[in-house]
Amino acid sequence: MKVSNRKRVLVTGGAGFLGSHLCERLLLEGADVLCIDNLYSGTKDNISHLLPNPHFEFQRHDVTFPIYLEVDEIYNLACPASPVHYQRDPVQTTKTSVHGAINMLGLAKRTGARIFQASTSEVYGDPEVHPQTEEYWGRVNPIGIRSCYDEGKRCAETLFFDYRRQHGLGIKVARIFNTYGPRMHPNDGRVVSNFIMQALRGEDITIYGDGSQTRSFCYVDDLIEGFLRLMNSSDDLTGPVNLGNPVEFTIRELAETILEMVGGTSKLVLRPLPHDDPRQRQPNISLAKEHLDWEPKVPLREGLEKTIAYFRTL
């Protein structure tokens, strides 16, 4: 009987946008992948093409409850990541980040697994430093409507580093900036999916604020490459490491580009800016370049073409 020497990898939130792409990539790398997701914001449609693969397994589970498995690596991605989803049940959002981190760190401690935390650029809040480096501590409102997500992720980072200091755990923390691509939820309220869906339906394209606020958009394949490089890096590189595209665009530029690519008669309409919405968001990725030899390769138009093609199929 041949014993498999495949790495056993757990992906929490594996049926979500990023999680499904990560599961796909890990299978290509020759891993045995266990995907767990409570399907709050993820969907089985994202992973249906992986289910026939004998090295892929899906289990419906909520990370706020412990789970007992034997694994070599854990990627902790579980948490609704768009304002529409995380503000629907803010208490559960905080619990997912905090209890989820505690449960996954406990599993890593018991099994000796290396563990990766999908943190977020939201830990920087509405930043006074531009672009944002990992040394910047952020400017976050602890009691606002976005706080359940921002502070939940900040607390998760705290837990990861305390487990490292207290128990010598092998941790990796990535701070993810705006990412887009196929399998984004069409109604997640994020700017790329919003603009594409509005343009495809021939509706007015809604810009919040005057459109001068900036974002940096990273295509999903580039981000997943960054995940793997960070997870496979040397033990002393714990992070946090910014992963995102340092090329900055205004929201108006993005809207105009999508409108031009989709075609149609949609008009740009301005609406008031939501509370605590950051004015600027751009990663400094010097650390990722130096230690992971990583930077995004896919230009915005090329990534948007693939994303628009996906949304046309829905």
Side-chain angles (χ1 to χ4, degrees):
M1 185 177 81
K2 186 175 182 292
V3 177
S4 171
N5 60 355
R6 286 171 175 264
K7 201 185 280 182
R8 298 164 302 179
V9 184
L10 171 64
V11 180
T12 76
F17 163 46
L18 297 181
S20 62
H21 284 277
L22 176 60
C23 289
E24 203 168 56
R25 177 67 191 275
L26 288 166
L27 289 166
L28 285 174
E29 299 285 323
D32 267 323
V33 178
L34 173 58
C35 160
I36 67 174
D37 202 302
N38 69 351
L39 304 181
Y40 176 77
S41 57
T43 167
K44 276 192 187 168
D45 292 341
N46 287 340
I47 53 167
S48 57
H49 63 297
L50 303 178
L51 293 171
N53 189 321
H55 298 288
F56 179 78
E57 188 183 340
F58 169 71
Q59 188 173 337
R60 191 161 179 163
H61 180 79
D62 185 328
V63 294
T64 62
F65 298 95
I67 191 166
Y68 301 95
L69 305 162
E70 300 305 320
V71 290
D72 303 307
E73 287 182 352
I74 301 165
Y75 286 86
N76 186 37
L77 275 62
C79 190
S82 77
V84 167
H85 291 136
Y86 68 64
Q87 288 171 8
R88 191 189 304 155
D89 189 346
V91 172
Q92 187 62 27
T93 296
T94 304
K95 285 170 75 174
T96 301
S97 283
V98 178
H99 291 192
I102 290 167
N103 288 329
M104 289 307 123
L105 287 161
L107 178 62
K109 183 182 163 205
R110 184 180 67 77
T111 58
R114 180 177 273 198
I115 183 167
F116 176 104
Q117 168 66 2
S119 191
T120 172
S121 60
E122 299 294 341
V123 301
Y124 298 123
D126 192 2
E128 301 140 306
V129 170
H130 190 76
Q132 292 83 54
T133 65
E134 291 86 353
E135 287 75 36
Y136 178 51
W137 289 355
R139 178 170 170 260
V140 175
N141 175 0
I143 57 168
I145 58 169
R146 300 170 71 104
S147 310
C148 58
Y149 184 69
D150 303 5
E151 295 288 32
K153 288 288 191 180
R154 282 165 71 97
C155 184
E157 284 196 16
T158 303
L159 285 161
F160 266 68
F161 281 90
D162 282 337
Y163 263 79
R164 166 85 174 175
R165 286 183 283 260
Q166 202 169 325
H167 303 295
L169 219 57
I171 66 163
K172 303 286 174 179
V173 176
R175 288 180 179 161
I176 302 164
F177 284 70
N178 290 54
T179 305
Y180 70 100
R183 297 188 214 135
M184 290 183 86
H185 198 293
N187 304 315
D188 68 3
R190 292 193 226 194
V191 66
V192 173
S193 47
N194 263 9
F195 288 175
I196 292 174
M197 291 306 291
Q198 287 172 335
L200 287 173
R201 291 174 181 143
E203 298 167 358
D204 288 340
I205 292 182
T206 312
I207 294 176
Y208 293 98
D210 60 5
S212 65
Q213 66 270 40
T214 63
R215 294 292 184 272
S216 316
F217 301 101
C218 184
Y219 188 64
V220 62
D221 291 356
D222 283 333
L223 185 78
I224 299 303
E225 176 65 29
F227 281 13
L228 267 64
R229 290 193 188 195
L230 179 55
M231 182 62 113
N232 297 324
S233 64
S234 65
D235 287 346
D236 56 348
L237 182 64
T238 57
V241 175
N242 286 339
L243 294 178
N245 195 329
V247 181
E248 201 177 10
F249 293 90
T250 68
I251 296 299
R252 180 177 280 276
E253 282 175 311
L254 177 72
E256 288 168 349
T257 303
I258 288 172
L259 189 51
E260 179 216 322
M261 291 175 73
V262 171
T265 57
S266 300
K267 295 181 184 64
L268 304 184
V269 177
L270 303 184
R271 294 273 184 271
L273 199 63
H275 195 57
D276 289 341
D277 196 55
R279 297 280 318 160
Q280 288 181 308
R281 198 42 78 60
Q282 183 191 15
N284 178 318
I285 60 166
S286 305
L287 204 60
K289 278 184 177 175
E290 183 186 342
H291 294 283
L292 306 176
D293 191 26
W294 177 88
E295 61 182 313
K297 300 279 194 289
V298 180
L300 183 65
R301 288 187 78 92
E302 185 186 323
L304 284 175
E305 271 173 25
K306 295 175 181 176
T307 311
I308 291 165
Y310 166 76
F311 279 117
R312 284 190 195 278
T313 67
L314 298 181

